[in-house]
Amino acid sequence: MENTSSHVIAVDGLAATGKGTLARRLADHLDFAYLDTGLLYRAVGIGVLRAGGDPSDPVAAAKAAQALNPDVLVNLAQDPDLRTEVGGDAASKVGAVPEVRQALLKFQQDFAAHPPLGKKGAVLDGRDIGTVIAPHAKVKIYVEASPQVRANRRFLELRVRGENVTEASVLAELQARDARDTQRATVPTKPADDAVILDTSDMNADEAFEAALGIVEGKIKH
Ligand code: C5P
């Protein structure tokens, strides 16, 4: 259940739209807690791979999700394997499994309702924050950018990390992931009816942040 005393900001959008950077900056600026919910799905996907399974196998995916406990979930940011393309691909496969989404629901809703360290609010980024996890969030931002812009941003990021990819392969992988994320039967990615759409195709990170902050300040009074 959501506790209305916590300010919740939902930042949703497809892969590589810049929503993670944006959400983290909003949380820092507002002194709110921040949760990257993609990491939860990545942990499940990588968990299946590490056990020698196939992330598209619903039974293996559900088992890996049910094996994650809150102590593990709070430390996910430390695991470098999760942020790889392999991690993202596995995440989007397990994210289509209803039992996986159900197993991760309570952790996310508790985080939103009772942000850690006594913070007075929480910023969560993902695909279904505004629609499923926190439907009563005061602020919902759905971040968009064109596939070419997103592929270019992700390519530059991966190259810095030393991953061996081309821009064309990144675009193809993004489009496959978009198709899975928007067309799956369970919680397809889409903006909540009351979300504000923020198209960052022609914005740099600072401009996107300023635009998002403007949306937040219009909705939350401190
Ligand atoms: O945001 P990120 O790229 O880390 O997400 C990885 C994958 O996890 C997404 O492609 C999506 O399929 C899944 N996901 C989800 N719901 C969320 C967050 C991520 O289904 N709230």
Side-chain angles (χ1 to χ4, degrees):
M1 287 296 286
E2 276 188 79
N3 172 349
T4 48
S5 66
S6 161
H7 292 300
V8 180
I9 299 179
V11 181
D12 288 303
L14 290 170
T17 47
K19 66 185 187 319
T21 306
L22 191 61
R24 198 174 297 109
R25 274 183 79 170
L26 281 176
D28 283 349
H29 183 84
L30 298 164
D31 195 28
F32 282 8
Y34 166 62
L35 182 64
D36 172 356
T37 67
L39 281 183
L40 310 179
Y41 291 87
R42 286 168 181 262
V44 176
I46 290 286
V48 174
L49 291 173
R50 283 179 182 157
D54 173 0
S56 303
D57 170 5
V59 175
K63 197 170 149 205
Q66 284 148 9
L68 290 177
N69 63 48
D71 295 338
V72 175
L73 293 175
V74 290
N75 290 312
L76 293 179
Q78 319 303 328
D79 187 339
D81 284 356
L82 298 190
R83 298 194 192 275
T84 60
E85 289 303 272
V86 170
D89 182 70
S92 94
K93 289 177 178 155
V94 300
V97 178
E99 289 80 3
V100 169
R101 308 200 72 84
Q102 183 59 34
L104 299 176
L105 184 72
K106 185 173 182 309
F107 178 79
Q108 296 174 82
Q109 290 191 325
D110 283 350
F111 189 99
H114 308 288
L117 305 174
K119 304 276 184 188
K120 61 185 185 303
V123 183
L124 283 78
D125 87 57
R127 301 289 188 291
D128 60 345
I129 309 303
T131 52
V132 174
I133 303 298
H136 305 298
K138 290 206 175 73
V139 187
K140 298 181 186 178
I141 301 174
Y142 189 84
V143 187
E144 291 184 339
S146 73
Q148 287 71 20
V149 166
R150 291 159 52 211
N152 179 258
R153 289 177 187 160
R154 177 57 58 95
F155 169 67
L156 296 175
E157 234 175 73
L158 292 172
R159 221 179 36 180
V160 167
R161 273 195 247 148
E163 286 206 37
N164 186 18
V165 289
T166 63
E167 196 162 338
S169 70
V170 173
L171 178 61
E173 159 62 21
L174 264 185
Q175 286 173 325
R177 191 124 76 90
D178 284 0
R180 266 203 301 274
D181 286 354
T182 56
Q183 290 163 26
R184 65 188 175 204
T186 309
V187 193
T189 303
K190 61 171 187 197
D193 290 340
D194 52 350
V196 178
I197 308 286
L198 178 62
D199 188 331
T200 67
S201 300
D202 297 322
M203 295 179 186
N204 63 31
D206 289 343
E207 291 164 340
F209 171 68
E210 290 303 329
L213 193 58
I215 296 168
V216 171
E217 286 174 345
K219 308 232 177 208
I220 291 185
K221 293 183 186 60
H222 300 284

